[in-house]
């Protein structure tokens, strides 16, 4: 399984940048929260890239273990993002709405990388 990171990262940055500019135009006080949401999206894609590379290397010798790496990665990223959202909201005192919506906008960018594909593994 090859993860083409350049289009994925580009679309995530475009969607996250649009959300950041939109929140900045609506209320400049929301920019730090939106930027934090953008950072969370980049952390998420970075961890995904790292674990896909590890799983790819392991797939040659142990395909089952490769799948387990991907499943464990999804669980770890889910928990880590939950913790980082809580840190942003409670410890840093950021507004949750721009933070979450910027992160969600970046996740919607995933749809753009699926155009023209018949399967998720194409």
């Amino acid at each position: 399984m090859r993860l083409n990171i350049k289009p994925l990262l580009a679309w995530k940055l475009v969607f996250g940048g649009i959300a950041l500019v939109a929140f900045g135009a609506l209320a400049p006080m929301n920019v730090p929260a939106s930027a934090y949401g953008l950072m969370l999206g980049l952390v998420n894609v970075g961890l995904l890239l790292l674990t896909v590379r590890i799983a790819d290397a392991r797939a040659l010798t142990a395909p089952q273990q490769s799948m387990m790496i991907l499943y464990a990665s999804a669980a770890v990223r889910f928990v880590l993002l939950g913790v980082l959202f809580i840190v942003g909201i409670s410890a840093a005192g950021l507004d949750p709405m721009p933070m979450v919506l910027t992160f969600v906008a970046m996740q919607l960018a995933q749809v753009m990388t699926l155009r023209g594909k018949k399967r998720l593994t194409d």
Side-chain angles (χ1 to χ4, degrees):
M1 177 175 134
R2 298 289 309 164
L3 181 66
N4 194 354
I5 192 67
K6 288 180 184 177
L8 176 63
L9 188 58
W11 280 112
K12 284 187 180 278
L13 286 172
V14 166
F15 277 58
I18 289 170
L20 182 66
V21 169
F23 280 114
L26 293 174
M29 297 299 290
N30 288 334
V31 170
S34 184
Y36 188 81
L38 183 83
M39 187 264 318
L40 290 180
L42 294 176
V43 165
N44 190 35
V45 77
L47 289 174
L48 175 64
L49 175 64
L50 177 68
T51 54
V52 165
R53 285 187 178 169
I54 292 169
D56 274 349
R58 192 63 54 94
L60 299 173
T61 57
Q64 289 285 49
Q65 193 176 24
S66 173
M67 289 304 298
M68 292 306 295
I69 290 170
L70 293 175
Y71 290 137
S73 163
V76 167
R77 286 185 295 123
F78 182 78
V79 171
L80 179 64
L81 286 171
V83 168
L84 290 175
F85 273 117
I86 291 169
V87 166
I89 294 168
S90 63
L94 298 172
D95 188 14
M97 189 62 73
M99 180 187 337
V100 172
L101 289 179
T102 302
F103 179 79
V104 168
M106 291 182 75
Q107 300 316 303
L108 292 176
Q110 193 82 25
V111 174
M112 300 305 290
T113 62
L114 297 176
R115 289 183 307 159
K117 294 183 178 182
K118 295 179 180 154
R119 299 174 303 207
L120 291 176
T121 58
D122 283 346

